Amino acid sequence: MATMEIRSARKTYGTLCVLEDINLSIGDGEFIVLVGPSGCGKSTLLRMIAGLEEISAGEIRIEDRVVNDLPPKARDIAMVFQSYALYPHMNVADNMSYSLRLRKADKPTIADKVRDASAKLGLGALLERKPKALSGGQRQRVAMGRAIVRQPKAFLFDEPLSNLDARLREQMRAEIRKLHRALGATSIYVTHDQVEAMTLADRIVAMHGGHIQQVGTPLELYDRPANLFVAGFIGSPGMNFVEGAVELGTFVMRDGTRLPLPEGMPETLGGATLGIRPEHVTLGEGLAAEVELVEPTGHGIILHLRLAGAVFRVLTTDRRWLTPGDQVQVGLPAGALHLFDESEQRVAPAPHPQQ
Amino acid sequence: MLKTIAHRVAILCFIAFSLFPLFWLLKVSVTPNDLLYSEGVRLWPSRVTLDHFSFVLANSEFPRFFGNSLIVSGTTAVCTTILAALMGYALSRFRFRGKLWLAGLLLVTQMFPLVMLVAPIFKILAPLGLTNSLAGLIVVYTAFNVPFASFLMQGFFDGIPPDLEEAAMIDGADRFTAFRQIILPLGLPGIAATLGFVFTAAWSEMIFALMLISGNDKATFPVGLLSFVSKFSVDYGQMMAAGVLALIPACLFFLMIQRYLVQGMTAGAVKG
């Protein structure tokens, strides 16, 4: 268990800069999720922490020790790979104990720790098997077992669930969360799946284009996204955006449709974007829209509407019978609106959305 | 169905075509001398004999050639494979300045016909006292085989996910330990293939052996075979018997390593 501190970290490959000015403090026992689309630099950042990539500038500290020039083995961290990276020529027990054997732990200790870890993960019956005789979920567990067996300072996860099918992923997600609660170890978890980020994280670090966009608790990112990218990335289905401008406290869409803004928003703003989450849009009174597509999810319906020339998604649990071509009226509650300026930054702190 | 049959027939034809010389070798080696020319062309002689084999083993210098060849080919295979494994790993895993040029240079070395190089190589080896010595042959064979063997090994290492040694390094190994304990065991098929390839290449090499070695003491088996050709006659029976015997180590070698050649040991390492 350890704290971590990343200061002005940078990563360049030749002239190509993939990470710039990364600053992040991670508390002891915290579960941090790095989330972003592919190519945003999140895996590179994780690998820099692990010591698998060099740090071009800045510094990374683990427990007040600068680890920039330490090889991975000296950093005392464990990592779970997306591919699991199990050693194919070793059985499960040997895979899990490899790190202990490298540290020349004595045999009874190794046996104890492997037994503990395999009991925690329900791998007891599989210890003699080779990786190729395991299912995807079992391999994933062995990879986790290999990480927890030596009680490292921190756990790093590089998209550990993305090779599993949806149901198993859900199950393993819960197990990772439980495991973290049981072990209390500092964890950094990389994913491109915002649902995983929301459900697992103590704090989410949203990344895009080699920069950190926002750091905060899952609900902070959901309720008060710092910019257009975070607003669009967090939440599923994604936030609706309408471009336009603010005039006299009213949002004017490109086609001239006007929408009153709540108190506290700026009076004028040229080139603004208005955002609202699909689940906050109400059906009933309001702006006229045409149904383009109906996607039933079982729990509710996702409606794709054409509103003021833009595609608008609405998530409703109201099971009314709608078909493409129908005309509906949608309400955009003032309290649920997010406003972003020309540089895509959030402007006014919108009040909490209506429940 | 028809396609499979056609496919099988084509393969059979090919096998027959490529194995026929070997069959002929065997046939002549067991044909008694008096029948060799008198029976005309037939697939199998009316009478077989092992006289040629016993003569070759007991009364010729063949056992010595055989031993020399074994030493040269075995040592060359081992040296080349060790060098090629290290080189192939570097080519596969590291980014370094001039990598492309290095790979290009390795390829260029493969472009020259060996005959062109015999004289310069002789010039280099003579002052070093490496002509007419098995060590000289080993050096030359190793030098000539390392480039191709390195590419071969690089290909095998490329097939092993780098995640594996990264996981090992995070588990507490340094890079060389990870290479030794994780990558090498998984690279065994590749190593076996390289060993086999280099061994057979060195085993059948003739030009350098002929030019760099004088006298029967240090001659390898392909050179030794020529001693069955005298000024006035060729003793085909004995020559073929020696040839059959020379096939044995190569065959044994491949029997030993074929398990690795067909086995995909990385199965199950990553997402299956």
Side-chain angles (χ1 to χ4, degrees):
Chain A
M1 273 170 266
T3 57
M4 261 188 230
E5 184 83 35
I6 301 167
R7 281 187 204 150
S8 315
R10 224 171 110 84
K11 179 71 187 175
T12 50
Y13 294 109
T15 53
L16 182 73
C17 182
V18 292
L19 281 176
E20 194 149 20
D21 196 28
I22 301 294
N23 288 288
L24 187 65
S25 311
I26 298 168
D28 192 8
E30 204 173 9
F31 200 114
I32 293 285
V33 175
L34 306 180
V35 68
S38 43
C40 73
K42 57 192 190 296
S43 279
T44 307
L45 180 56
L46 193 77
R47 291 168 59 83
M48 282 158 74
I49 296 170
L52 297 172
E53 296 278 351
E54 277 175 33
I55 301 157
S56 307
E59 70 180 29
I60 294 181
R61 290 163 177 272
I62 299 177
E63 258 188 349
D64 292 331
R65 188 161 69 134
V66 178
V67 297
N68 283 34
D69 297 320
L70 290 184
K73 67 170 192 166
R75 299 190 185 194
D76 195 18
I77 34 104
M79 184 155 162
V80 178
F81 289 80
Q82 176 176 6
S83 64
Y84 316 139
L86 302 180
Y87 312 128
H89 56 309
M90 299 183 193
N91 65 23
V92 169
D94 287 344
N95 257 288
M96 301 216 302
S97 63
Y98 184 62
S99 59
L100 299 173
R101 283 183 285 140
L102 282 172
R103 281 174 178 71
K104 307 257 189 298
D106 54 76
K107 282 206 171 124
T109 319
I110 293 178
D112 275 359
K113 290 193 168 177
V114 169
R115 196 167 347 98
D116 279 0
S118 53
K120 269 193 195 107
L121 293 161
L123 288 169
L126 305 172
L127 288 178
E128 299 299 318
R129 294 233 195 129
K130 290 269 175 72
K132 69 176 161 206
L134 301 176
S135 70
Q138 289 166 338
R139 285 180 200 170
Q140 220 284 326
R141 271 168 220 269
V142 177
M144 304 262 294
R146 194 168 63 180
I148 65 176
V149 102
R150 71 186 155 96
Q151 290 142 341
K153 284 194 186 127
F155 290 108
L156 308 179
F157 298 88
D158 191 3
E159 311 218 11
L161 303 184
S162 45
N163 285 345
L164 300 177
D165 61 54
R167 181 153 302 274
L168 207 51
R169 198 179 314 162
E170 222 169 86
Q171 188 188 334
M172 287 309 294
R173 207 166 67 200
E175 279 194 36
I176 290 178
R177 191 77 190 127
K178 271 189 226 154
L179 207 61
H180 176 252
R181 203 176 305 148
L183 300 173
T186 310
S187 304
I188 305 179
Y189 187 108
V190 162
T191 181
H192 60 265
D193 179 352
Q194 55 91 23
V195 180
E196 259 172 49
M198 293 291 285
T199 49
L200 283 171
D202 290 328
R203 277 194 304 156
I204 295 179
V205 177
M207 297 181 66
H208 181 49
H211 291 269
I212 290 182
Q213 304 292 324
Q214 189 173 4
V215 182
T217 64
L219 287 184
E220 273 167 15
L221 266 71
Y222 184 82
D223 291 340
R224 289 185 296 283
N227 55 38
L228 214 52
F229 168 78
V230 178
F233 194 77
I234 301 289
S236 174
M239 191 183 273
N240 296 302
F241 296 114
V242 191
E243 290 180 8
V246 181
E247 288 166 14
L248 301 168
T250 317
F251 188 84
V252 185
M253 297 180 196
R254 286 273 159 82
D255 69 341
T257 313
R258 302 179 85 82
L259 195 71
L261 288 176
E263 301 265 325
M265 293 281 194
E267 283 293 300
T268 47
L269 196 65
T273 305
L274 194 69
I276 183 164
R277 295 204 176 276
E279 54 272 38
H280 296 147
V281 180
T282 56
L283 286 177
E285 296 287 289
L287 305 170
E290 184 184 322
V291 178
E292 280 201 329
L293 187 67
V294 183
E295 291 180 316
T297 62
H299 171 66
I301 307 170
I302 301 169
L303 293 174
H304 292 238
L305 307 177
R306 183 150 293 273
L307 182 134
V311 177
F312 223 74
R313 275 166 301 185
V314 179
L315 182 65
T316 173
T317 50
D318 185 359
R319 283 198 175 182
R320 71 173 71 186
W321 190 252
L322 286 169
T323 49
D326 286 352
Q327 297 294 324
V328 289
Q329 300 247 313
V330 293
L332 310 180
L337 295 176
H338 303 261
L339 190 65
F340 303 93
D341 64 17
E342 218 165 4
S343 55
E344 304 193 345
Q345 299 304 304
R346 175 184 196 81
V347 275
H352 281 283
Q354 294 172 349
Q355 295 306 311
Chain B
M1 188 61 193
L2 203 66
K3 215 173 146 188
T4 342
I5 292 171
H7 188 218
R8 293 281 155 80
V9 169
I11 290 177
L12 274 178
C13 288
F14 179 74
I15 291 175
F17 180 76
S18 45
L19 286 186
F20 187 74
L22 292 180
F23 167 73
W24 209 246
L25 184 79
L26 187 71
K27 183 238 165 188
V28 174
S29 75
V30 295
T31 309
N33 271 342
D34 54 326
L35 294 183
L36 197 54
Y37 296 105
S38 59
E39 280 200 315
V41 180
R42 25 190 308 181
L43 273 182
W44 198 248
S46 54
R47 187 157 51 81
V48 299
T49 174
L50 292 177
D51 285 354
H52 298 310
F53 287 92
S54 48
F55 182 86
V56 161
L57 287 174
N59 301 329
S60 75
E61 297 222 58
F62 180 77
R64 187 204 305 277
F65 303 150
F66 195 85
N68 285 343
S69 261
L70 219 51
I71 293 171
V72 170
S73 307
T75 317
T76 302
V78 170
C79 293
T80 305
T81 306
I82 291 173
L83 290 174
L86 296 171
M87 178 105 164
Y89 182 77
L91 285 175
S92 165
R93 292 298 198 259
F94 299 136
R95 286 203 266 192
F96 50 90
R97 205 185 298 262
K99 181 172 169 177
L100 206 67
W101 285 99
L102 185 74
L105 210 61
L106 284 179
L107 274 181
V108 167
T109 62
Q110 303 293 297
M111 289 177 184
F112 301 98
L114 288 183
V115 188
M116 263 175 64
L117 300 171
V118 169
I121 294 270
F122 191 87
K123 268 270 191 208
I124 296 169
L125 293 188
L128 298 171
L130 285 174
T131 52
N132 204 24
S133 89
L134 297 184
L137 269 191
I138 292 170
V139 170
V140 172
Y141 288 172
T142 304
F144 274 94
N145 280 305
V146 158
F148 183 74
S150 299
F151 284 125
L152 210 59
M153 287 307 300
Q154 181 197 353
F156 282 106
F157 288 135
D158 281 346
I160 300 175
D163 282 5
L164 289 180
E165 74 237 52
E166 289 179 350
M169 287 196 284
I170 284 179
D171 267 351
D174 52 42
R175 193 173 267 279
F176 194 68
T177 312
F179 175 67
R180 224 161 29 83
Q181 297 186 342
I182 306 296
I183 302 305
L184 273 189
L186 296 175
L188 273 184
I191 289 168
T194 309
L195 271 176
F197 175 81
V198 177
F199 184 89
T200 36
W203 186 258
S204 54
E205 204 288 333
M206 169 110 173
I207 295 174
F208 279 104
L210 200 58
M211 297 296 169
L212 296 179
I213 304 287
S214 50
N216 280 348
D217 266 14
K218 300 285 166 53
T220 56
F221 138 81
V223 178
L225 267 192
L226 290 179
S227 68
F228 293 102
V229 182
S230 69
K231 213 166 190 177
F232 303 107
S233 69
V234 181
D235 198 326
Y236 282 114
Q238 290 172 18
M239 199 178 186
M240 297 299 155
V244 170
L245 291 174
L247 278 176
I248 292 171
C251 291
L252 278 182
F253 208 85
F254 268 95
L255 269 183
M256 242 157 51
I257 63 173
Q258 59 97 19
R259 182 164 79 92
Y260 292 112
L261 287 178
V262 293
Q263 189 182 41
M265 262 187 80
T266 44
V270 294
K271 180 190 173 200

